[in-house]
Amino acid sequence: DVSDAASAEAAIATAREAHGPARILVNCAGIAPAERIVGRNGPMPLDNFRKVIEVNLIGTFNMMRLAAADMQGTDPLEDGERGIVISTASVAAFEGQIGQSAYAASKGGVHALTIVGAREFAKAGIRFNTIAPGLFGTPMLLGMPEDVQNSLAATVPYPSRFGTPEEYAKLAMAMIDNVMLNGETVRLDGAIRMQPR
């Protein structure tokens, strides 16, 4: 549970014991329930908004703080680098759709943490970057009816399909490899710009 301090601390400790301190963290945990600010049944329950923020934003921050603390204690590599944190935002951070208030707010927060982390940990040689995917073939989207999936995929200018986990991984690997890439949120979206609905 990335949003739970003790759970995340235990996970980091387990990984450290098995492999030594991490030099790479990729934050991918997230949830995306759709709910309007005010729907047919009235205002969104505040706890529903809070849950998304806890997982997507607080969870990202939680893992970020723990991994960066470990990375600070490692010996520097070439260029003085000690590690990299890659987080996952979304195009919703920039073009949140109706019904995505909690999700867009959480992913906007992840985007905002990127430059803050890069600046804070620059002297330690720890980089912070974020990937902002568009429509990707994850369980969130692949659980939808096929006609809905096809309709969504057709909205991506090029290529007109969902992105793949392998394409996300290629960008993450490029971020890891390129030491000059720091403090950036990179869209990975086939040029999609989300419409209000």
Side-chain angles (χ1 to χ4, degrees):
D1 180 355
V2 295
S3 67
D4 179 75
S7 179
E9 288 166 13
I12 292 283
T14 299
R16 185 188 317 111
E17 289 167 18
H19 308 289
R23 289 191 183 266
I24 300 168
L25 170 69
V26 180
N27 274 314
C28 284
I31 57 174
E35 191 169 0
R36 289 176 179 251
I37 297 169
V38 178
R40 290 189 179 109
N41 298 322
M44 175 195 304
L46 193 54
D47 283 342
N48 294 5
F49 185 88
R50 185 177 285 115
K51 177 66 176 175
V52 176
I53 298 299
E54 285 178 0
V55 173
N56 296 359
L57 181 56
I58 294 172
T60 294
F61 177 80
N62 190 23
M63 298 305 295
M64 182 184 287
R65 73 186 179 93
L66 296 171
D70 262 12
M71 289 176 194
Q72 285 186 125
T74 62
D75 292 331
L77 304 172
E78 189 177 338
D79 281 332
E81 185 176 24
R82 285 189 168 85
I84 182 171
V85 173
I86 300 173
S87 296
T88 306
S90 166
V91 295
F94 311 103
E95 297 117 32
Q97 295 182 292
I98 292 170
Q100 286 188 327
S101 60
Y103 185 71
S106 70
K107 294 304 186 173
V110 170
H111 164 65
L113 280 171
T114 307
I115 190 66
V116 174
R119 288 173 169 170
E120 181 175 338
F121 290 94
K123 287 184 179 176
I126 301 169
R127 297 182 295 125
F128 284 71
N129 288 304
T130 294
I131 298 173
L135 299 175
F136 266 65
T138 65
M140 268 189 254
L141 284 179
L142 298 178
M144 296 178 174
E146 190 171 344
D147 60 327
V148 174
Q149 289 183 45
N150 293 339
S151 174
L152 285 171
T155 66
V156 181
Y158 182 79
S160 294
R161 60 171 175 76
F162 293 159
T164 67
E166 292 80 8
E167 288 164 325
Y168 178 100
K170 284 180 184 178
L171 180 53
M173 292 302 292
M175 287 178 166
I176 292 163
D177 189 50
N178 190 336
V179 179
M180 187 54 74
L181 190 55
N182 190 17
E184 292 297 328
T185 296
V186 178
R187 292 179 70 124
L188 187 61
D189 61 15
I192 196 170
R193 298 300 179 265
M194 302 301 285
Q195 299 303 306
R197 298 177 194 271

